[in-house]
Amino acid sequence: MFCYQCEQTAGGTGCDTTGACGKRPDIAALQDLLFEVTKAVARSGAAADAFLEDALFTTVTNVNFDAGRIVALIRQGAEMLAEAGAASPVAVTATPEEMVAAGHLVSLDGRIAALGPDVAGLQELLAYGVKGVAAYARHARVLGRTSPAVDGFVREALTFLAGPVPDAGGLLAMALRCGEAGLQVMELLDGANTDRFGQPEPAPVTIGWREGKAILVSGHDLADLADLLEATAGMGINVYTHGEMLPAHGYPELRKYPHLVGHYGGAWQDQLKDFAAFPGAILLTTNCLMPPRASYSDRLFTTGVVGFPGIPHLPAGAFGPLIAAALEAPGFTDARETGRHMVGFGHHAVLGVADTVIGAVKSGALKKFVLIGGCDAATTGRGYYSDLAEALPADWAVLTLGCGKYRVLGRVEGTIGPLPRLLDMGQCNDAFSAIKVAGALAQAFGVGVNELPLHLVLSWFEQKAVTVLLALLHLGVKNIRIGPRLPAFVSPAMLQVLVEQFNVMPIGDVQSDLRAMAA
C-alpha cells in the first residue's frame, strides 16, 4: 500500500505498510479500487449521486475500516456499470480477494512512478478535494438538500480524473474549480443545517457530566444527533456531545431537548481515553473513528458511512441497541463540571452585530482577527496553535472552527466590547460561516478580503480540509498559513506554484509569525 492523503502519514511522506490511521493494506487496496469504481460510474452517466457521495466519503481518512461494507459498495458500483453497459474496473462476481488484488493494481505508488510526483500530487489534490465535497454533500443530502451543480461537478471531476492525464496547469485549474464546488456545497450544508435546526445562537455549554445513564455522540452528523434526542426523550438518559459535535449546542432545535446536557471529552484523537472512561453507550457518526479498544468496543455503535469490523452498525434512526446498551451500562454516579465554553457564533450571530464589530475596528479597540482552526490530531507540532492563541494581543479577536478549536479553548480570555475575544464558529462543516463573515467585512470596509486585518492559520488533517483550502484559493484568498506540516502530496514544484499565486506558507515559530501578522 501507499497512502499520503492525510497529515498523519508516516514520516510526513506516506504510509507503506499499515496506515497511521490503523488502515490495513487490504482496506487501502479496497478503498483504492472503490475510488476507481466511482470514476467509472461517473463516466457512465448512471444516476448515482447518492452512491458516489457514500462511496467517496467511505474513502476519507478514519471513516470506514470494514472490508465487508467496502466490498458491498464496490459490488454495488459494478452492478450499476453492468446495467449501464459500461466497462468496470472489477467484475460483479469478483471475490473480496480478487478485489484486493485489483486494488493493488491501481495504487497510488504506481501512478507516482509513472507520472512523477508533481502530476500525481495534483491528481491527488483534486481527488481529495472531491472527496471532501462529496462528504459535505452527503451531510446535506441526509437533511433533504441536494444541488445539481455540486452533483454535476463531482461527476465531471471524477470523469476528468478517469480520462487522459492533463498537464499540471489543467489539473490546477480543475482543483480551483473544485474549490468553487466546495464553496457551493458548504453553503448548501449551511442552509440545510439552519433550516432544520435554526440559526446558531451564542450559548454556554457545560463541559463535564451529570449523574445518570448516558450516551455519547461523536462525529459530525447533526441529523443523527437530532434523531437520537427525539428517540430518547423522556427515557432518563443524558446525551453528551464529543469532538466535532460540540457546536451542536448552539442550534435552538437541538438545545431545546433538556437531556442534551453537555459536552464530554476533547477532539477526535482523544477518543481512545475518552470512550474508555465514558460509562455509557457511544455513537460514532461520520468521521473520525479510530480502531476501538476492547474496553469500550461492546458499547460502541456506528451509523452512516462509518464502519469497523465487529462493531454493530445501526441503520439511520435504528437506535434500539444503542439505547439498550446505555441502560445496561452503569452511567455516571456523580456530577462534575470541568468548564464552560461558548458556541454559536455562526455568520448569522456575528453579522447580527456587524455594526459593533466594524465600530470596534474603526475605533482601534479591535486591531486584528486571527482564524485559528481546521483539524486537530495527535501529531507533533500542534502545540503551536495553543502557543499562538496565548501570545496574541488582547485587542486581537480569535475566530475558530473545526476540532482545531480544542487547541485554543481556555487560552483566549476577555472581551472586546460586547463580544468574547474567542468566537467559535462551529464545525469544520461550518467553514462557510467564516467565509461569509470575511466577505461581509470586506464589503463593509470597501476592500478586498486580502486587505482585511485578518490572518488565517489553519491546521490540516484530512480531505474536508483540502476542500476548504481549495474554496479559499478559488476566492483568491492569499497569505494562508498551514501546519503543522504541509501535505505530503504537495511536491516542491506544487508548493512553488501555490507560493507564487497565493503566498501559501507553512507555519513557522510563534514569535516570528506573530511579528509578521502584526506588521
Side-chain angles (χ1 to χ4, degrees):
M1 66 173 285
F2 183 80
C3 180
Y4 61 10
Q5 73 176 9
C6 78
E7 192 266 342
Q8 296 179 99
T9 194
T13 57
C15 297
D16 56 8
T17 53
T18 299
C21 63
K23 181 170 59 177
R24 302 189 314 264
D26 62 321
I27 300 299
L30 289 171
Q31 290 186 355
D32 287 343
L33 179 60
L34 179 57
F35 188 69
E36 290 299 309
V37 169
T38 66
K39 292 192 286 187
V41 169
R43 186 168 49 182
S44 75
D49 295 319
F51 166 78
L52 292 175
E53 290 165 7
D54 282 356
L56 291 169
F57 203 165
T58 292
T59 69
V60 169
T61 304
N62 288 91
V63 172
N64 198 312
F65 301 82
D66 190 333
R69 300 254 315 277
I70 301 171
V71 164
L73 281 168
I74 293 171
R75 189 159 285 127
Q76 181 183 351
E79 289 170 350
M80 288 179 176
L81 291 167
E83 292 173 2
S88 173
V90 64
V92 174
T93 57
T95 66
E97 293 76 18
E98 290 170 334
M99 291 181 182
V100 170
H104 286 309
L105 294 177
V106 294
S107 63
L108 173 59
D109 50 351
R111 277 194 292 113
I112 294 174
L115 303 175
D118 298 334
V119 170
L122 282 167
Q123 286 181 328
E124 293 304 288
L125 175 66
L126 174 58
Y128 305 155
V130 172
K131 289 183 180 186
V133 169
Y136 289 132
R138 188 190 185 279
H139 283 301
R141 185 178 292 274
V142 299
L143 291 169
R145 284 286 198 98
T146 59
S147 164
V150 170
D151 293 340
F153 176 79
V154 170
R155 292 192 300 270
E156 180 185 356
L158 291 171
T159 300
F160 177 84
L161 287 168
V165 179
D167 60 18
L171 281 163
L172 182 58
M174 184 60 83
L176 292 177
R177 285 195 55 210
C178 184
E180 180 181 20
L183 186 63
Q184 291 170 332
V185 77
M186 286 188 285
E187 183 175 14
L188 178 76
L189 179 56
D190 177 79
N193 281 333
T194 55
D195 280 355
R196 173 83 178 270
F197 308 117
Q199 290 287 351
E201 300 170 350
V205 182
T206 298
I207 312 298
W209 59 87
R210 294 184 186 179
E211 183 178 353
K213 302 292 185 179
I215 293 176
L216 185 65
V217 184
S218 193
H220 300 74
D221 205 307
L222 300 180
D224 288 327
L225 176 61
D227 292 345
L228 176 64
L229 289 169
E230 186 62 29
T232 53
M235 296 186 68
I237 301 174
N238 293 323
V239 176
Y240 301 81
T241 55
H242 178 270
E244 279 267 60
M245 280 294 191
L246 173 58
H249 295 267
Y251 288 93
E253 291 301 307
L254 296 175
R255 199 171 60 248
K256 73 180 183 181
Y257 290 95
H259 60 302
L260 179 63
V261 297
H263 185 81
Y264 180 92
W268 70 272
Q269 76 273 8
D270 294 333
Q271 67 187 257
L272 297 179
K273 64 179 179 63
D274 290 343
F275 291 2
F278 188 78
I282 305 157
L283 179 66
L284 204 297
T285 75
T286 67
N287 53 316
C288 300
L289 173 67
M290 300 175 74
R293 291 178 173 170
S295 59
Y296 59 83
S297 60
D298 61 335
R299 298 179 284 113
L300 176 64
F301 300 81
T302 63
T303 191
V305 293
V306 192
F308 197 89
I311 299 300
H313 185 77
L314 306 179
F319 298 122
L322 173 75
I323 293 170
L327 293 173
E328 291 172 7
F332 289 104
T333 58
D334 64 347
R336 185 177 304 175
E337 180 177 322
T338 60
R340 288 205 161 201
H341 174 61
M342 289 289 293
V343 297
F345 292 98
H347 61 85
H348 181 78
V350 175
L351 294 180
V353 293
D355 290 344
T356 302
V357 174
I358 293 167
V361 173
K362 289 181 175 179
S363 71
L366 175 55
K367 293 289 197 307
K368 299 269 189 181
F369 298 91
V370 182
L371 173 62
I372 304 176
C375 301
D376 200 9
T379 44
T380 58
R382 290 180 180 267
Y384 165 93
Y385 299 94
S386 300
D387 295 341
L388 176 64
E390 290 182 339
L392 294 176
D395 52 6
W396 290 25
V398 178
L399 312 176
T400 191
L401 52 77
C403 56
K405 67 169 59 69
Y406 288 97
R407 295 290 172 173
V408 302
L409 297 191
R411 300 174 188 274
V412 181
E413 304 293 341
T415 59
I416 299 177
L419 293 174
R421 282 184 61 222
L422 179 62
L423 302 175
D424 187 342
M425 307 195 81
Q427 300 178 335
C428 67
N429 295 9
D430 298 312
F432 177 74
S433 270
I435 292 171
K436 191 171 180 66
V437 166
L441 290 176
Q443 184 176 13
F445 287 111
V447 299
V449 172
N450 294 313
E451 283 69 56
L452 284 173
L454 169 66
H455 299 278
L456 304 180
V457 188
L458 305 181
S459 52
W460 173 71
F461 172 63
E462 51 93 352
Q463 294 77 68
K464 289 180 181 176
V466 175
T467 303
V468 174
L469 175 62
L470 291 177
L472 293 171
L473 297 184
H474 159 72
L475 292 170
V477 177
K478 297 183 178 181
N479 309 315
I480 302 170
R481 289 176 169 82
I482 302 176
R485 58 192 180 194
L486 291 176
F489 56 84
V490 176
S491 67
M494 285 176 61
L495 177 59
Q496 185 62 30
V497 171
L498 293 175
V499 170
E500 290 175 356
Q501 294 193 23
F502 302 102
N503 198 32
V504 171
M505 66 191 86
I507 60 173
D509 67 87
V510 168
Q511 291 305 318
S512 296
D513 285 351
L514 190 55
R515 285 193 296 269
M517 285 187 276

